[in-house]
Amino acid sequence: MNKKFKIALAVVASAALGGAAVQGLHAQAKPKAYYVVELEVLDAAAQAAYAPVVQAAQRSAGGRHLRTAGARIVAFEGTPPKSVAITEWDSLEQVQAYLNSAAFKNLAPQRDKAIRIVRSYAVEGPAN
């Protein structure tokens, strides 16, 4: 009986240790971030040329474009923006690094000709 008790105690201790390890791993997960840009198109041709370039820069920095350009926007309160671009990132720090990067800054002349940014912000989602 003493041997069975030791085995049962080892099983319970292992389960508790495994549960604590899994909980620790979940606590380390970083929440995704969503970079939202509300914009107005200034020049449709310039915007058509700018969109693939900025999307490529975002992809190379780790962002995933959610294809919201030209999508229908429905306002439930207030005035809706004319257009919205949303990009998913692995973390808020990744968004900030992209916005501070040379790739983003070098696109400013092309961006300023194509669109006017009304508002831009990042939203941090829940951790997975």
Side-chain angles (χ1 to χ4, degrees):
M1 183 152 148
N2 192 15
K3 190 174 187 179
K4 289 181 182 178
F5 179 73
K6 287 181 182 178
I7 291 173
L9 184 61
V11 168
V12 170
S14 297
L17 185 60
V22 168
Q23 184 66 24
L25 290 174
H26 280 289
Q28 292 177 1
K30 282 193 164 206
K32 292 196 181 291
Y34 299 88
Y35 177 55
V36 182
V37 179
E38 298 175 12
L39 59 106
E40 293 180 10
V41 176
L42 300 175
D43 180 334
Q47 193 271 341
Y50 171 71
V53 176
V54 72
Q55 290 169 14
Q58 290 172 340
R59 270 192 308 278
S60 69
R64 291 167 298 283
H65 184 67
L66 297 183
R67 300 176 193 243
T68 55
R72 187 171 69 147
I73 300 170
V74 178
F76 296 105
E77 287 189 37
T79 305
K82 300 211 187 290
S83 185
V84 175
I86 303 173
T87 309
E88 180 184 57
W89 300 81
D90 290 332
S91 69
L92 188 56
E93 293 79 15
Q94 198 177 31
V95 176
Q96 292 168 321
Y98 168 69
L99 294 176
N100 290 323
S101 73
F104 178 76
K105 291 177 181 177
N106 291 342
L107 288 172
Q110 193 174 359
R111 181 174 42 253
D112 293 343
K113 182 180 177 189
I115 64 171
R116 181 177 80 79
I117 295 177
V118 175
R119 182 177 305 124
S120 71
Y121 46 92
V123 178
E124 201 170 49
N128 293 336

